[in-house]
């Protein structure tokens, strides 16, 4: 017998399925957990360090993609942070120092968290995300309140805390007190971030952009004693190459004013082997202290069941020298200062990937918008590296660009532009008044990954120097600072 009711039943079922699909709630937009470190170079176990004890960041690398060749746009806090948070280069922002606010040149620029806020996200800042000092008159808050849905916490002010009982004292370069994590800013920030995650978890229908900015391993190296105790100083390696590169122009170096501004460090002259070892020990202690706080925050995200729909980004504003090249801290155009750790874990992205392609920190802004389905923001100069997340074997950018003025502090006389290719680093130093070429550098990372020899006058690299010099000329011309260069002059 033929069932004449079946076609009608199938049609009714199909209609019901269509109606259900039309009325089903759309998939929730991903949250963003945006974690920043200050002065962290790629001293992590996941990046190959044999000394750094970073189990939590190594675990994050395993659940996401590690970027081997990520570069900041200027190796000092304010310009780098302004760049990643606006997706624009320092020359566009007119920010090259610690005191200039990015809204002085571009008052209506839409920042990364502001873009998310404008598209329905709750945007929250806990810790140092933008720079923390204001040099404008009248002062413009560096934490940029318009970027956030509520007032930021722990975002401005001194962070020295050499003495937890006297947080205004800058004091010495190192401290090893047997105190709980919350005696220092980063412990307080991690606690506040965990508390905020619990509040956000109660609003599952409201996506969030939670920025958590840690201060470590920035000087002073004042992590709690238990993090110092993770390391045996006698077994730590000294800096590998302690001279400026052979043939490097003097303008490429600096007097390491930052570290010399702390008690216990001589204002000039060589540092003793004992002090060098103590400083390197203190830096690693700060790295492990930072790692523990990152672990607390991500652990809470996991405990609350939020991780499966959250993009996690971990980045540092720039790298750091620990005696290599006879330099301390940042503010150079060398690899140790411009290269940064960058880890990204996201829904639907396979864990354990290692991307070798070049990326820049200003690419983070369009990448997050891409991953979360937001429209592209106007004026952003970076480009999304989401394709590298989905396939880490893909090629990245052909070049990454960084820059830094000389001298590092005070009135600058020259600007150094550096172009990083997958193999080479090329640098041009130009007079800030005339744009005249002052000095050049070229380093071959295949032959010399420590950048020990300037090969700019080596005839074997003549074609590279010509090609990369043309790239820098275009970069300098784009700044609009030197009309002669814009017209094709050198």
């Amino acid at each position: 017998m033929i069932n004449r009711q079946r076609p009608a039943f199938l049609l009714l079922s199909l209609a019901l399925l269509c109606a259900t699909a039309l009325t089903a709630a759309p998939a929730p937009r991903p949250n963003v957990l945006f974690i920043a470190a200050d002065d962290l170079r790629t001293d992590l176990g996941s990046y190959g360090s044999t000394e750094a004890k970073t189990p939590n960041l190594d675990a994050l690398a395993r659940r996401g993609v590690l970027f081997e060749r990520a570069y900041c746009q200027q190796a000092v806090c304010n310009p780098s942070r302004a760049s990643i948070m606006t997706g624009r280069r320092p020359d566009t922002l007119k920010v090259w120092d610690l005191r200039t606010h990015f809204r002085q040149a571009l008052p209506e620029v839409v920042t990364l968290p502001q873009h998310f806020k404008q598209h329905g996200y709750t945007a929250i800042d806990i810790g140092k995300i933008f720079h923390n000092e204001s040099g404008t008159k009248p002062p413009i808050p560096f934490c940029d309140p318009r970027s956030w849905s509520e007032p930021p916490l722990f975002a401005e002010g001194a962070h020295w805390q050499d003495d937890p009982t006297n947080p205004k004292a800058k004091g010495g370069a190192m401290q090893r007190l047997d105190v709980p994590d919350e005696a220092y800013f980063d412990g307080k920030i991690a606690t506040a971030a965990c508390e905020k995650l619990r509040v956000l978890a109660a609003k599952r229908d409201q996506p969030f952009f939670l920025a958590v900015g840690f201060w470590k391993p920035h000087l002073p190296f004042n992590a709690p004693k238990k993090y110092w105790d993770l390391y045996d100083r006698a077994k730590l390696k000294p800096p590998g190459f302690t001279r400026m590169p052979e043939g490097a122009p003097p303008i490429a170096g600096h007097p390491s004013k930052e570290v010399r501004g702390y008690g216990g460090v001589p204002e000039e002259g060589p540092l003793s082997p004992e002090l060098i070892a103590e400083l390197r020990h203190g830096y690693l202690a700060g790295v492990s202290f930072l790692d523990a706080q990152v672990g607390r925050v991500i652990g809470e995200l996991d405990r609350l069941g939020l991780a499966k729909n959250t993009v996690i980004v971990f980045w540092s504003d720039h790298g750091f020298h620990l005696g290599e090249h006879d330099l301390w801290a940042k503010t150079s155009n060398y690899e140790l200062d411009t290269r940064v750790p960058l880890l990204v874990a996201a829904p639907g992205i396979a864990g354990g990937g290692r991307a070798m392609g070049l990326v820049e920190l200003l690419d983070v802004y369009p990448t997050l918008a891409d991953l979360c389905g937001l429209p592209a923001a106007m004026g952003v100069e970076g480009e999304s590296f989401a394709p590298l997340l989905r396939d880490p074997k893909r090629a990245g950018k052909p070049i990454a660009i960084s820059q830094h003025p000389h001298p590092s502090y005070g009135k600058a006389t020259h600007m150094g532009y550096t172009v990083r290719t997958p193999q080479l680093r090329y640098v041009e130093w130009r007079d800030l008044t005339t744009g005249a070429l002052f000095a050049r550098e070229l380093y071959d990372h295949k032959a010399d990954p420590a950048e020990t020899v300037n090969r700019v006058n080596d005839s074997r690299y003549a074609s590279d120097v010509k090609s990369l010099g043309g790239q820098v000329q275009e970069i300098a011309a784009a700044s609009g600072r030197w009309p002669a260069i814009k017209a094709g002059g050198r």
Side-chain angles (χ1 to χ4, degrees), residues 331-482:
T331 71
S332 83
N333 275 320
Y334 289 121
E335 183 83 355
L336 280 171
D337 278 357
T338 58
R339 183 183 175 216
V340 298
L342 177 62
L343 308 172
V344 181
I349 300 299
R354 302 182 78 88
M356 298 300 296
L358 293 168
V359 298
E360 300 176 284
L361 282 186
L362 55 75
D363 299 329
V364 170
Y365 188 155
T367 301
L368 288 177
D370 188 353
L371 292 174
C372 295
L374 272 59
M378 297 292 292
V380 169
E381 294 174 303
E383 57 188 64
S384 173
F385 54 71
L388 275 74
L389 288 169
R390 300 183 180 102
D391 180 7
K393 294 181 180 180
R394 288 176 61 112
K397 288 182 161 182
I399 61 172
I401 304 164
S402 303
Q403 64 185 100
H404 211 291
H406 180 89
S408 305
Y409 298 96
K411 184 174 176 57
T413 59
H414 295 78
M415 181 65 75
Y417 289 101
T418 179
V419 171
R420 181 67 158 91
T421 74
Q423 180 176 337
L424 303 173
R425 173 176 297 283
Y426 175 76
V427 188
E428 278 191 6
W429 294 93
R430 290 179 172 273
D431 186 288
L432 271 175
T433 301
T434 66
L437 181 62
F438 182 77
R440 299 182 299 175
E441 302 170 75
L442 182 74
Y443 301 97
D444 184 342
H445 274 255
K446 185 175 181 180
D448 178 25
E451 297 182 335
T452 66
V453 179
N454 178 12
R455 303 168 191 265
V456 75
N457 294 319
D458 187 328
S459 60
R460 292 173 296 179
Y461 297 90
S463 62
D464 296 307
V465 170
K466 181 178 180 181
S467 173
L468 295 172
Q471 296 269 17
V472 171
Q473 183 168 335
E474 291 181 14
I475 295 163
S479 73
R481 188 185 287 116
W482 301 298

Side-chain angles (χ1 to χ4, degrees), residues 110-171:
V110 176
T111 68
L112 169 58
Q114 189 177 5
H115 185 61
F116 273 75
K117 187 176 74 167
Q118 289 178 351
H119 289 87
Y121 278 68
T122 298
I124 296 169
D125 171 17
I126 299 175
K128 183 180 178 182
I129 296 297
F130 293 101
H131 191 48
N132 61 304
E133 298 177 0
S134 178
T136 60
K137 295 181 180 179
I140 302 174
F142 259 66
C143 62
D144 199 50
R146 76 173 80 175
S147 291
W148 311 105
S149 303
E150 57 188 56
L153 298 175
F154 303 110
E156 294 199 3
H159 69 286
W160 316 119
Q161 301 243 93
D162 186 67
D163 178 355
T165 66
N166 182 12
K168 293 184 178 180
K170 184 172 181 178

Side-chain angles (χ1 to χ4, degrees), residues 229-258:
D229 292 347
L230 292 174
Y231 301 92
D232 180 348
R233 189 180 305 171
K235 295 181 180 179
L236 296 179
K237 294 179 292 187
F241 184 78
T242 56
R243 306 184 306 279
M244 285 293 288
E246 178 185 335
I251 196 172
H254 60 76
S256 302
K257 285 184 63 175
E258 180 178 356

